[in-house]
Amino acid sequence: MSHRTVSWNTLSRSLHDSRPAVAPGLLSAKARIDMTVRTTRRPLFAAGQFDRGAIMSAAASAARAHQERFGCTWGEAMSVCLTAAWRAAKMARHMAAH
């Protein structure tokens, strides 16, 4: 009977490497979106449905600031900020349900 050895160091490293990478600026984008929602008083989730216009507006304003800060393209900035906006909207939906 053959014995298989397990390298715990290799296993740990492979698990660490398989984690999805957090996009640079995602947390600051979420903070900007939360501030935009508070200042404009336009919620991302209301009356049982997502307000796509509010989500897009908050993401666009956060993308402008993100692009200035990180010097990335408009598409990259919108990608990060739309991800943050949808996460914020889903959190708002979750908070409304509970």
Side-chain angles (χ1 to χ4, degrees), residues 6-15:
V6 175
S7 170
W8 292 107
N9 196 20
T10 304
L11 181 65
S12 176
R13 177 59 49 202
S14 68
L15 287 173

Side-chain angles (χ1 to χ4, degrees), residues 46-86:
Q49 56 187 349
F50 294 112
D51 185 354
R52 291 188 175 130
I55 291 169
M56 199 62 189
S57 174
S61 66
R64 280 185 221 100
H66 182 83
Q67 191 175 21
E68 288 176 14
R69 182 173 178 193
F70 291 95
C72 58
T73 66
W74 178 251
E76 292 170 343
M78 276 301 287
S79 174
V80 169
C81 293
L82 276 172
T83 299
W86 276 104

Side-chain angles (χ1 to χ4, degrees), residues 3 8 19 32-34 43 49 53-54 59-60 70 73 80 84 89 93:
H3 293 300
W8 292 107
R19 283 188 205 154
R32 287 185 188 279
I33 287 167
D34 289 342
Q49 56 187 349
F70 291 95
T73 66
V80 169
R93 178 181 64 182

Side-chain angles (χ1 to χ4, degrees), residues 13-26:
R13 177 59 49 202
S14 68
L15 287 173
H16 176 73
D17 292 341
S18 68
R19 283 188 205 154
V22 176
L26 185 65

